[in-house]
Amino acid sequence: MFYSLLFALVLLFAGATLLEERLREHPFVFLLYWAACAWITLLAVLLAIFDLLVIRAAVRAERDRIQREYLERPHDPDAR
């Protein structure tokens, strides 16, 4: 994910400065270039959302495991 964001930033910088004249000369290449940049950015956002969901599921599973382990453990009523 880091590398896809880095690549999108490099494309953004190159498209806004170094390749600006060449991209303006060819409208189809211009659209294709910026569509690729947008696609890479969208991919990074979707990967971040997926990562968030996976981490939340792992935390939920671990919390449930700890609760089961705690509830199944024999308790001593006199211990405090």
Side-chain angles (χ1 to χ4, degrees):
M1 185 171 40
F2 171 75
Y3 293 114
S4 62
L5 277 177
L6 184 64
F7 186 58
L9 285 173
V10 168
L11 284 177
L12 176 69
F13 176 76
T17 57
L18 304 172
L19 302 174
E20 181 182 8
E21 292 299 320
R22 289 185 181 152
L23 291 175
R24 286 183 186 263
E25 292 173 2
H26 307 285
F28 182 71
V29 175
F30 177 87
L31 290 175
L32 188 65
Y33 183 85
W34 288 113
C37 188
W39 175 253
I40 293 169
T41 304
L42 180 65
L43 177 68
V45 169
L46 291 175
L47 281 172
I49 292 170
F50 177 72
D51 191 37
L52 176 71
L53 293 174
V54 167
I55 289 172
R56 287 180 67 180
V59 167
R60 190 178 316 117
E62 185 65 18
R63 184 183 62 222
D64 292 344
R65 184 192 66 80
I66 290 172
Q67 281 180 339
R68 271 194 320 276
E69 182 180 302
Y70 179 76
L71 293 175
E72 291 173 358
R73 186 173 37 162
H75 295 287
D76 186 7
D78 296 329
R80 276 214 166 200

